[in-house]
């Protein structure tokens, strides 16, 4: 929430990013070799805090979480 509060105060866009597949590197002791890691990165549309209501600005962390979660189903 803290970093999002800074973005809201600075009136800068927040760009949610989904990174899916990196968990495979952490499974077991296997090191990722070239070509072994199949991950997907989704850069979502920016969220402009100045276009949100005060209530939505307070819920910005939850809004970002929901947007990031949509990237796992793409």
């Amino acid at each position: 929430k803290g970093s999002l509060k800074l973005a809201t105060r600075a009136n800068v866009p927040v760009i949610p990013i989904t990174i899916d597949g990196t968990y495979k590197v952490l499974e077991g002791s296997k090191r990722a070799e070239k070509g072994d890691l199949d991950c997907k990165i989704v850069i979502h549309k920016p969220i402009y805090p100045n276009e949100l209501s005060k209530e939505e600005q307070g819920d910005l962390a939850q809004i970002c979480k929901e947007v990031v979660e949509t990237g796992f189903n793409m």
Side-chain angles (χ1 to χ4, degrees), residues 2-74:
S3 60
L4 296 173
K5 189 177 284 190
L6 289 173
T8 302
R9 287 182 183 169
N11 198 28
V12 295
V14 175
I15 303 172
I17 299 175
T18 304
I19 303 174
D20 186 18
T22 57
Y23 66 91
K24 296 171 189 171
V25 174
L26 300 175
E27 291 180 351
S29 61
K30 179 183 173 188
R31 281 187 51 157
E33 303 270 331
K34 185 176 180 180
D36 282 351
L37 182 59
D38 180 28
C39 83
K40 174 178 70 171
I41 299 174
V42 180
I43 302 172
H44 299 276
K45 292 182 181 179
I47 299 171
Y48 297 92
N50 63 335
E51 295 177 358
L52 302 175
S53 68
K54 288 290 182 192
E55 183 179 325
E56 289 173 322
Q57 287 179 8
D59 293 334
L60 188 53
Q62 182 63 32
I63 292 169
C64 288
K65 179 180 183 279
E66 291 169 2
V67 170
V68 168
E69 287 175 348
T70 65
F72 294 114
N73 300 321
M74 296 180 107

